[in-house]
Amino acid sequence: MDLQSIMPLIIIAVILIAVAILFTFIPVMLWISALAAGVKVGIFQLVGMRLRRVVPNRVINPLIKAHKAGLNVKTNQLESHYLAGGNVDRVVNALIAAHRANIELPFERGAAIDLAGRDVLEAVQMSVNPKVIETPFIAGIAMDGIEVKAKARITVRANIDRLVGGAGEETVIARVGEGVVSTIGSSHTHAEVLENPDSISHNVLNRGLDAGTAFEILSIDIADVDIGKNIGAILQTDQAEADKNIAQAKAEERRAMAVAQEQEMLAKVQEMRAKVVEAEADVPLALAEALRSGNLGVMDYMNYKNIDADTDMRDSIGKLSGNDNDDHEQ
């Protein structure tokens, strides 16, 4: 085959390769869809998106959706939000929902809410359809010492203006729980809480608990009220047990001191007895010395022995008389 016969085939192959590259690099079908929807997007603008590593359908499809909904959204806004890591489709859906519900939501605010990590579409839906948050049982103690448990249902609506930087559901639940505990604690008896559970919701709602949060509290309703333990009686019992233990410890301390004092007195008695025995041992020595020195005569010594014998006899008689009296008394 000569070159003239091969040249048409080469031209056709080159054209096919060029068309394939064109349709691969340039989203021609997306450009046609945008033109059919009335959205003016240049072909070179789509090429520029490719060069900026922007997926064209992630921007053009939400742009078509916004245009059909009557929103004035620019391509550059959607593209910059995509490059910032935001969810373009979710922001556009939120703008459409806010537009249908007559809620003022500029694109900049919606993009900021999305970049802050919050679901902007869910926030718009919550503004239209308020959400009910149910708290767990919150326990409080009335002045009479009875524990009262209450469960509350909080109806909240998203506050679009405070979604960025506003506190979440956990803060709302914590504040409501604090208000419930405070209201129950200020009641004189638990019967007051059982008779008027709506007083809890009124007192809590008047505190302005939604300040600084991303929500607006519409109502607080007490779903259930239950009686818990008699905390006052338990505390009194624990206090009485503690007082008893303290009294027992002090009594044991006094007993130990008394035993120690008794042992000390016994030791002193033994010491005094030892001194008496020692003194008595000196008597014969003193008598012998007196006899040798002539200060004591033999008759004097005999008289001393007689007196000592009389004393022993009287002691023996006294002991016998005491035993007889004890026998008669028995």
Side-chain angles (χ1 to χ4, degrees):
M1 298 178 65
D2 55 358
L3 183 61
Q4 292 181 352
S5 60
I6 298 175
M7 186 61 67
L9 296 177
I10 295 175
I11 294 174
I12 292 173
V14 170
I15 293 173
L16 291 176
I17 293 173
V19 170
I21 293 174
L22 178 66
F23 277 90
T24 302
F25 190 75
I26 302 174
V28 178
M29 297 304 298
L30 187 63
W31 176 65
I32 295 173
S33 299
L35 291 179
V39 178
K40 295 180 179 181
V41 179
I43 192 70
F44 293 102
Q45 192 173 4
L46 296 176
V47 174
M49 289 183 186
R50 289 288 193 186
L51 296 175
R52 290 187 292 271
R53 296 184 179 181
V54 176
V55 181
N57 61 351
R58 297 286 183 88
V59 175
I60 300 303
N61 288 333
L63 183 63
I64 295 172
K65 192 187 305 182
H67 179 74
K68 288 299 182 181
L71 299 177
N72 186 17
V73 180
K74 304 298 182 181
T75 307
N76 290 333
Q77 292 177 319
L78 300 179
E79 189 175 350
S80 63
H81 186 63
Y82 176 84
L83 291 174
N87 191 324
V88 178
D89 191 62
R90 184 166 56 191
V91 172
V92 171
N93 289 338
L95 294 176
I96 295 173
H99 180 70
R100 293 287 187 268
N102 293 324
I103 298 175
E104 184 179 357
L105 179 62
F107 176 81
E108 290 75 11
R109 185 177 296 277
I113 295 171
D114 183 63
L115 292 177
R118 294 185 181 273
D119 193 336
V120 60
L121 179 58
E122 182 182 357
V124 174
Q125 292 173 348
M126 193 183 300
S127 297
V128 178
N129 185 20
K131 179 181 179 180
V132 177
I133 303 173
E134 185 169 333
T135 66
F137 271 107
I138 303 170
I141 303 174
M143 291 185 181
D144 58 355
I146 304 298
E147 182 185 31
V148 180
K149 299 179 180 179
K151 180 185 290 186
R153 289 192 176 97
I154 313 165
T155 305
V156 297
R157 180 172 58 194
N159 192 328
I160 302 296
D161 296 333
R162 293 203 300 257
L163 274 177
V164 178
E169 295 183 10
E170 293 81 5
T171 302
V172 175
I173 295 175
R175 291 182 180 179
V176 171
E178 180 183 359
V180 170
V181 172
S182 177
T183 303
I184 294 176
S186 61
S187 302
H188 291 85
T189 61
H190 68 282
E192 294 181 3
V193 182
L194 297 178
E195 292 173 359
N196 299 308
D198 56 340
S199 62
I200 301 177
S201 59
H202 290 320
N203 292 335
V204 175
L205 192 60
N206 292 333
R207 292 173 177 262
L209 303 179
D210 54 1
T213 65
F215 304 99
E216 178 185 354
I217 298 178
L218 300 179
S219 66
I220 299 176
D221 304 308
I222 303 301
D224 191 11
V225 179
D226 195 7
I227 299 297
K229 300 177 181 179
N230 191 340
I231 303 298
I234 294 175
L235 292 176
Q236 290 178 358
T237 302
D238 294 341
Q239 185 64 42
E241 184 69 20
D243 293 341
K244 184 190 75 172
N245 293 334
I246 293 173
Q248 288 178 347
K250 290 183 177 180
E252 183 65 23
E253 181 181 0
R254 289 193 298 269
R255 189 189 68 81
M257 291 178 62
V259 171
Q261 188 176 7
E262 181 183 2
Q263 295 297 325
E264 183 179 356
M265 295 304 295
L266 291 175
K268 289 183 178 180
V269 169
Q270 294 296 331
E271 182 181 359
M272 296 305 294
R273 285 180 178 175
K275 290 182 179 181
V276 169
V277 171
E278 184 180 359
E280 289 178 350
D282 291 337
V283 171
L285 297 176
L287 291 175
E289 182 65 26
L291 288 172
R292 281 194 298 268
S293 61
N295 294 327
L296 180 67
V298 176
M299 295 305 297
D300 295 330
Y301 178 73
M302 295 302 295
N303 291 330
Y304 163 74
K305 296 299 289 183
N306 290 331
I307 294 172
D308 190 18
D310 292 340
T311 302
D312 292 337
M313 182 180 63
R314 291 190 183 93
D315 290 339
S316 300
I317 294 172
K319 291 179 181 180
L320 292 174
S321 299
N323 292 332
D324 292 338
N325 292 332
D326 292 337
D327 296 335
H328 287 304
E329 289 176 0
Q330 293 177 358

